């Protein structure tokens, strides 16, 4: 399975597929822990065509699809410099999102997307990679700890009217 998965950069012409996989995977990951109203508000705002177009046009952000037989099964969003959601450190790369369709969990898709992020971080001579993970997303926390990330801070993530705690984690790179 993993050998047939292709990781490739997304173009602006693929915004519909990005919106679809973005909303689908976020909903699958977080809907059971959040109200329907908060989920709906977040999905409409964060995955609007206007917001996605701006993010795709940002030279300091990149999106990648994981595809299997031309079907989008996951995606990655990374940020550099001033486009990072916090820190804004030129020596860092932020993994803002790695999401995989639920039916492909446990099939190494997330690892392939993660490996792509690390490869790009090294190409850009980043000293470290950082990200935020919701404290209740045990699957993601386990994944990043397995890959060597350590917690260094916390921040608040707002989902609708609900304030949630994210662990901020980082991985020092050796080039």
């Amino acid at each position: 399975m993993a050998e047939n998965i292709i990781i490739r950069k997304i173009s602006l012409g693929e915004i519909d597929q990005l919106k679809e996989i973005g909303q689908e995977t976020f909903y699958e990951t977080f809907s059971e822990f959040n109200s329907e109203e908060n989920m709906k508000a977040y999905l409409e705002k964060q995955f609007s065509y206007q917001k996605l177009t701006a993010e795709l046009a940002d030279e300091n952000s990149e999106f990648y699809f994981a595809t299997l037989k031309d079907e989008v099964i996951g995606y990655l969003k990374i940020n550099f410099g001033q486009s990072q959601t916090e820190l804004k450190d030129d020596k860092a790369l932020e993994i803002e999102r790695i999401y995989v369709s639920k039916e492909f969990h446990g099939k190494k898709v997330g690892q392939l997307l993660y490996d792509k992020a690390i490869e790009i971080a090294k190409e850009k001579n980043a000293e470290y990679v950082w990200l935020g993970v919701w404290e209740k997303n045990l699957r993601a926390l386990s994944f990043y700890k397995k890959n060597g990330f350590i917690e260094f801070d916390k921040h608040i993530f707002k989902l609708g009217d609900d304030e949630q705690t994210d662990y901020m984690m980082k991985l020092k790179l050796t080039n």
Side-chain angles (χ1 to χ4, degrees):
M1 158 93 58
E3 62 277 358
N4 297 325
I5 295 168
I6 296 167
I7 308 296
R8 62 176 178 77
K9 196 168 183 182
I10 300 174
S11 70
L12 194 53
E14 298 172 297
I15 196 166
D16 288 326
Q17 294 100 305
L18 178 59
K19 181 176 178 152
E20 186 179 322
I21 191 74
Q23 288 182 325
E24 171 198 313
T25 55
F26 193 89
Y27 190 85
E28 286 175 347
T29 305
F30 300 113
S31 61
E32 70 179 284
F33 303 103
N34 293 283
S35 74
E36 195 62 34
E37 302 79 52
N38 282 344
M39 288 297 295
K40 188 173 189 293
Y42 182 86
L43 292 173
E44 283 177 7
K45 182 179 178 199
Q46 294 302 314
F47 295 98
S48 70
Y49 283 111
Q50 184 178 3
K51 186 162 191 340
L52 290 175
T53 300
E55 289 177 339
L56 281 163
D58 183 342
E59 63 187 25
N60 288 312
S61 291
E62 294 178 2
F63 287 88
Y64 292 83
F65 278 152
T67 61
L68 179 64
K69 298 180 185 151
D70 295 328
E71 177 191 355
V72 176
I73 60 172
Y75 78 105
L76 161 70
K77 181 182 183 209
I78 53 176
N79 301 311
F80 320 101
Q82 294 304 302
S83 293
Q84 294 174 73
T85 56
E86 289 182 52
L87 303 191
K88 315 244 190 252
D89 186 341
D90 288 333
K91 297 188 252 2
L93 176 141
E94 175 192 16
I95 296 176
E96 185 177 349
R97 298 184 199 135
I98 291 181
Y99 285 102
V100 176
S101 295
K102 207 171 210 158
E103 67 183 287
F104 292 97
H105 283 186
K107 297 188 171 32
K108 306 277 187 250
V109 182
Q111 189 67 48
L112 291 170
L113 289 165
Y114 167 82
D115 291 346
K116 182 67 176 176
I118 298 301
E119 174 190 321
I120 293 165
K122 288 181 176 182
E123 284 171 8
K124 294 193 175 280
N125 295 315
E127 291 179 10
Y128 65 96
V129 176
W130 73 275
L131 47 88
V133 180
W134 187 31
E135 65 183 348
K136 293 182 183 172
N137 190 346
L138 303 181
R139 181 183 187 87
L141 286 168
S142 171
F143 174 82
Y144 290 115
K145 286 177 182 172
K146 179 186 85 173
N147 278 290
F149 278 75
I150 54 167
E151 292 172 28
F152 70 94
D153 204 350
K154 292 179 180 178
H155 69 180
I156 297 299
F157 177 85
K158 277 191 73 90
L159 187 81
D161 61 8
D162 189 21
E163 290 192 350
Q164 303 176 351
T165 302
D166 277 3
Y167 293 126
M168 294 174 70
M169 303 177 81
K170 73 163 69 170
L171 173 72
K172 187 159 177 29
L173 297 177
T174 52
N175 285 340

